[in-house]
Amino acid sequence: AVSLAVERQAQRALGVDRALGAIAAETAIETAVRAVCDEVGSLEVEVAAESTWQMLTLPTKRGSVTAASVRARSVVAGGVRASSAELSFPEGVSVVLGTPTSSQPAAQPAAFGLPNLARRTPADFAVRFSQDDLSRSPVLFASLEALLQELLRSGASA
């Protein structure tokens, strides 16, 4: 209750109405996506949680995000061009936080390690390619070319 009261006071002082941890998570995800991609036209990141405390830990040492999504338009990464890419977790994400600073061996992942999913988590993923994306993506174009060559070489028929 104290942590929630402190967060609400900080939200009022900053003029925001969302969990500060969710805002920080969005910034971290956006930074990571922009660092990994060669180009990103537009990027929307949304993380929803009741509070930062809920995101970081609960009495069970599990963090929880009620929903999360990443949507990118005009993306180029690793030589692949896509009109859009989207990843979302509409039912949220529950995470076992782990204790990465512990000296316990990594052979006991339940007791030690980096954060991991606490339960099965449905995710929606979509990538859309235009004809221009396919012809301007050297990796995809080379993969399709190799596939066609193999089909011709092996004598596959329709």
Side-chain angles (χ1 to χ4, degrees):
V2 173
S3 62
L4 187 57
V6 170
E7 181 168 27
R8 297 293 183 243
Q9 185 177 7
Q11 287 172 324
R12 280 191 297 279
L14 295 170
V16 297
D17 61 352
R18 298 177 46 236
L20 300 177
I23 295 169
E26 289 173 354
T27 303
I29 292 167
E30 183 172 337
T31 301
V33 169
R34 290 193 184 280
V36 168
C37 294
D38 302 321
E39 289 179 36
V40 177
S42 67
L43 181 62
E44 298 171 31
V45 178
E46 296 176 19
V47 175
E50 295 298 318
S51 68
T52 300
W53 177 253
Q54 179 192 32
M55 287 180 68
L56 298 177
T57 187
L58 296 172
T60 59
K61 290 195 173 196
R62 292 184 177 184
S64 182
V65 171
T66 55
S69 66
V70 178
R71 286 180 228 62
R73 306 279 183 260
S74 300
V75 179
V76 179
V80 177
R81 178 179 299 279
S83 296
S84 66
E86 183 173 341
L87 174 64
S88 64
F89 301 91
E91 296 179 21
V93 179
S94 181
V95 177
V96 175
L97 297 175
T99 52
T101 58
S102 169
S103 61
Q104 295 294 321
Q108 298 174 322
F112 168 80
L114 297 174
N116 203 350
L117 293 176
R119 59 182 164 78
R120 294 177 72 183
T121 303
D124 296 331
F125 181 69
V127 179
R128 290 179 179 76
F129 298 103
S130 69
Q131 185 174 356
D132 189 48
D133 293 333
L134 294 173
S135 64
R136 294 180 63 197
S137 294
V139 172
L140 284 177
F141 191 78
S143 297
L144 289 172
E145 184 178 47
L147 178 63
L148 288 173
Q149 286 175 349
E150 181 60 27
L151 287 172
L152 290 172
R153 187 188 66 73
S154 65
S157 64

